[in-house]
Amino acid sequence: MAKLSSHSVTAEVIRFMSPQSERTNLYVTGLMELKLSSEQIYIKLHTVFSEFGLLYEIQVFPSTKHGPQEEEDKDHAEISSRSYYAFVKFYSSFAAAKAVATLNKKYLIHGKLLKVSFATRKGKDDYPLHYSACCSLAQHYLGFNGWNSHVVHIHEDKDHGDPTLVRFLCATKLNIPKHNITCEGIGLSENTIPDVNDLRSRLEAIKKTRRNSFSRAMENAFQQIALVVLSNGKVAVELCSEKPDEMVFLDDLLRKQIIEVNNVEGLEEEMTEKQDNSVIPKDGSLLDAMNNEILLDLMMDI
């Protein structure tokens, strides 16, 4: 995450990647002798810290200050007094700084004063956010109607020669109308069919693989943009200069297979045609009601 400055307004750049900056990661202590489980501590911390901005993750750990806890204690039904510490990670360094200023030695949880500071532990290498996290981040800063996406093309690759393997390539388009930003993403997904002789098993594998290829294509598209968040609350969107390595590879793969890009209407027509010519027999002898539902969802839903 980068920071910019201009007069009294500062800005930070938030990518659709896991945040690794020390200025977004907080160390929380003071959770001493609480008759709460780690799950209950998590819920309380999430409620408190989410007031300051979108959270990436919260990690709660039992304190070992007084020695390791006996393993069998974990199975006790009754929760004894325990001590914890936690790491709370934001996407925004602005939000993290505000949380420190507001909560450090000023907020009580069950009568215990929280101590909140910036963490000094080194973060791991950043990695692309999952599709659901990308959606949460986009909706938080751009609004629910501030962006949209659609499938440009989806294609099953049958040239691998493995009858137990299902592979799909998907191309999507991400639009951010207010900022006049449009970018494309490409995703590849493959899964093994548990039982090639079972039609239901194959349909479920196809359905899962199609959806995964769509998710990865969208993750790929989100990697190409960055949010520029100003300290006054305004948000801008910029295109990143370089394509992710994965997209370059998949783009070449699509070109080699001579896949023509279709619009959404064309895709819907293709799915409808496939449905009309589906393998469902007229007498329904090979497919029960559940299989019919899976097949319909497969053909009409990404």
Side-chain angles (χ1 to χ4, degrees):
M1 180 179 299
K3 244 189 178 181
L4 307 172
S5 176
S6 177
H7 302 293
S8 60
V9 178
T10 57
E12 62 179 342
V13 177
I14 300 178
R15 296 287 307 277
F16 285 80
M17 310 285 287
S18 58
Q20 300 300 334
S21 169
E22 291 181 357
R23 303 301 294 179
T24 62
N25 195 15
L26 304 183
Y27 179 50
V28 182
T29 58
L31 304 168
M32 309 296 289
E33 299 181 355
L34 297 175
K35 291 187 177 182
L36 299 172
S37 67
S38 58
E39 291 79 10
Q40 291 171 318
I41 292 290
Y42 177 94
I43 293 172
K44 287 185 175 295
L45 292 178
H46 190 280
T47 300
V48 172
F49 282 89
S50 61
E51 293 292 326
F52 301 94
L54 186 64
L55 298 175
Y56 173 70
E57 68 177 359
I58 297 177
Q59 295 176 301
V60 179
F61 302 96
S63 176
T64 57
K65 181 177 181 181
H66 303 292
Q69 187 177 357
E70 295 295 333
E71 190 68 25
E72 56 267 21
D73 288 346
K74 297 179 181 179
D75 298 327
H76 288 176
E78 183 178 353
I79 300 173
S80 60
S81 296
R82 299 176 182 175
S83 300
Y84 301 90
Y85 65 95
F87 291 97
V88 178
K89 186 176 288 188
F90 288 87
Y91 287 99
S92 166
S93 62
F94 292 159
K98 188 175 181 181
V100 172
T102 305
L103 299 176
N104 184 37
K105 298 181 180 180
K106 301 175 184 177
Y107 190 87
L108 297 174
I109 288 186
H110 279 231
K112 306 299 180 180
L113 197 61
L114 284 186
K115 297 179 181 179
V116 185
S117 60
F118 289 103
T120 57
R121 68 174 184 173
K122 295 182 179 179
K124 301 177 182 178
D125 294 337
D126 56 358
Y127 52 86
L129 295 179
H130 292 298
Y131 175 52
S132 59
C134 289
C135 293
S136 297
L137 186 58
Q139 289 175 13
H140 181 79
Y141 285 103
L142 303 176
F144 186 79
N145 296 319
W147 63 280
N148 61 75
S149 64
H150 65 266
V151 175
V152 176
H153 186 88
I154 192 164
H155 169 78
E156 182 178 4
D157 175 20
K158 298 182 179 180
D159 296 334
H160 46 74
D162 185 350
T164 67
L165 185 69
V166 177
R167 177 185 293 161
F168 273 90
L169 285 164
C170 182
T172 61
K173 182 170 289 187
L174 173 64
N175 302 304
I176 307 174
K178 183 178 178 181
H179 301 273
N180 295 318
I181 296 290
T182 298
C183 56
E184 294 181 349
I186 301 172
L188 170 68
S189 178
E190 59 183 31
N191 280 291
T192 301
I193 304 172
D195 184 358
V196 293
N197 296 319
D198 180 48
L199 181 58
R200 176 179 177 179
S201 178
R202 176 173 177 79
L203 291 176
E204 289 179 340
I206 291 175
K207 178 180 176 180
K208 178 180 178 181
T209 309
R210 282 168 57 97
R211 286 184 169 175
N212 287 345
S213 69
F214 168 77
S215 296
R216 292 176 182 176
M218 288 304 303
E219 293 165 5
N220 192 268
F222 275 113
Q223 287 181 60
Q224 298 175 56
I225 65 173
L227 303 170
V228 181
V229 182
L230 305 182
S231 57
N232 60 10
K234 294 183 178 180
V235 178
V237 181
E238 297 291 340
L239 279 173
C240 301
S241 57
E242 297 181 359
K243 286 185 177 181
D245 293 338
E246 181 185 7
M247 183 172 181
V248 175
F249 167 75
L250 292 176
D251 190 38
D252 291 341
L253 186 58
L254 282 172
R255 290 172 184 268
K256 289 178 182 179
Q257 296 192 5
I258 319 177
I259 295 178
E260 296 181 358
V261 177
N262 299 322
N263 57 24
V264 179
E265 290 76 14
L267 178 61
E268 291 176 346
E269 292 175 1
E270 176 187 349
M271 292 298 99
T272 302
E273 181 180 353
K274 287 182 178 180
Q275 184 182 3
D276 292 340
N277 298 322
S278 65
V279 296
I280 302 176
K282 293 182 179 180
D283 60 3
S285 59
L286 297 180
L287 291 176
D288 57 17
M290 191 173 193
N291 287 338
N292 277 311
E293 182 178 352
I294 293 173
L295 184 58
L296 180 61
D297 188 34
L298 167 66
M299 296 305 182
M300 300 303 295
D301 180 41
I302 293 298

